[in-house]
Amino acid sequence: MVNPDYWQRYWDDQAKNSFGENKQTRVLRTLNRKPIDSELWLSTLSFVINKLNLKAVDVVLDLCCGNGVFTLPISEHVESVRAVDLSSGLLEEIQQANKKNVEILKLNALDLVLPANSIDKILFYAGIQYFAEREMIILFEKMRDWLKPGGLAFIGDIPDKS
């Protein structure tokens, strides 16, 4: 099992030490250790939003949401978003946006409990690498149960071993 306390400290430190930096840099969304340029980011955001096929009535779950780089733009298109992360420092940025349709849940995604068939879309972007293989299986099983019939899970930005 990957130690969630380690990752919580890591991301809280990252949030604290990168305060005032680019939103992408704060969650280590970089290319060759440099901030992703706005054109590439907007292209990525547009790609993900299009693939999610968001509807105004959708309830979306954003797992490992960090500082809301996806959560906040998605919230403009849907009924509600549940934003899950274990870093209070990163979640604070979402809270500051004061979006009425965003529910912030500070916890490890593995500890999340939701009713079956309660979520239309799940976004799990750039988070899978923080879980051990067995934890991923557990999380995928939970995601399957949370999704409504015909729901969609989008898992992206999966790094390779190198």
Side-chain angles (χ1 to χ4, degrees), residues 72-127:
L72 296 174
I74 286 172
S75 74
E76 300 294 325
H77 302 274
V78 300
E79 181 178 313
S80 66
V81 181
R82 289 188 176 127
V84 178
D85 204 281
L86 48 72
S87 170
S88 51
L90 292 174
L91 289 170
E92 192 174 303
E93 289 186 52
I94 300 172
Q95 196 163 13
Q96 289 173 356
N98 200 27
K99 296 282 188 174
K100 301 286 187 240
N101 67 335
V102 175
E103 178 184 3
I104 298 168
L105 302 167
K106 184 200 171 299
L107 51 91
N108 184 319
L110 288 166
D111 298 328
L112 182 61
V113 176
L114 293 172
N117 303 317
S118 62
I119 301 294
D120 296 293
K121 312 281 170 63
I122 297 174
L123 178 61
F124 188 27
Y125 201 90

Side-chain angles (χ1 to χ4, degrees), residues 19 34 52 89 94 110 133:
F19 187 76
K34 296 197 181 343
L52 283 170
I94 300 172
L110 288 166
E133 186 175 340

